[in-house]
Amino acid sequence: NKEIGKGGFGEIKEGELKKNEKVTKVAIKMGNEKDKNGIESLKREICILNEIKNKLKNNSSLSQNFIECFGFSVIEGNN
């Protein structure tokens, strides 16, 4: 996976989700182990983005600029 940026939580990498024959490009936020509040901050960010996305779902010109969260996983010690 190649790094495509850095965020407040750590690196952001490009990846792919594969299901059957369908491949979806995704951005993966990698947590920063030094940030003690990182997981809670990430959860809040996901909730806020989902709330905004839901409020804008009837306005396609605005909602197309927001990402969709497929889910998240916490794996400690993952380098």
Side-chain angles (χ1 to χ4, degrees):
N1 298 340
K2 84 175 189 184
E3 184 177 321
I4 57 175
K6 285 199 181 283
F9 305 111
E11 298 174 349
I12 301 171
K13 295 188 176 190
E14 181 181 282
E16 293 181 341
L17 287 178
K18 297 177 184 176
K19 185 174 182 180
N20 300 326
E21 297 298 317
K22 184 177 180 186
V23 177
T24 303
K25 286 191 176 190
V26 296
I28 303 165
K29 285 190 162 191
M30 307 295 288
N32 181 347
E33 293 179 9
K34 295 177 185 173
D35 183 358
K36 303 262 189 265
N37 298 317
I39 296 299
E40 291 304 314
S41 296
L42 180 57
K43 286 179 188 177
R44 280 194 301 279
E45 179 182 334
I46 291 167
C47 288
I48 290 168
L49 288 174
N50 282 332
E51 285 178 26
I52 293 170
K53 179 81 172 173
N54 287 335
K55 288 181 180 181
L56 295 176
K57 68 182 170 188
N58 294 327
N59 187 333
S60 62
S61 64
L62 291 176
S63 66
Q64 70 184 359
N65 294 317
F66 281 85
I67 61 167
E68 182 175 352
C69 179
F70 291 108
F72 71 95
S73 175
V74 177
I75 302 171
E76 293 185 25
N78 186 21
N79 293 325

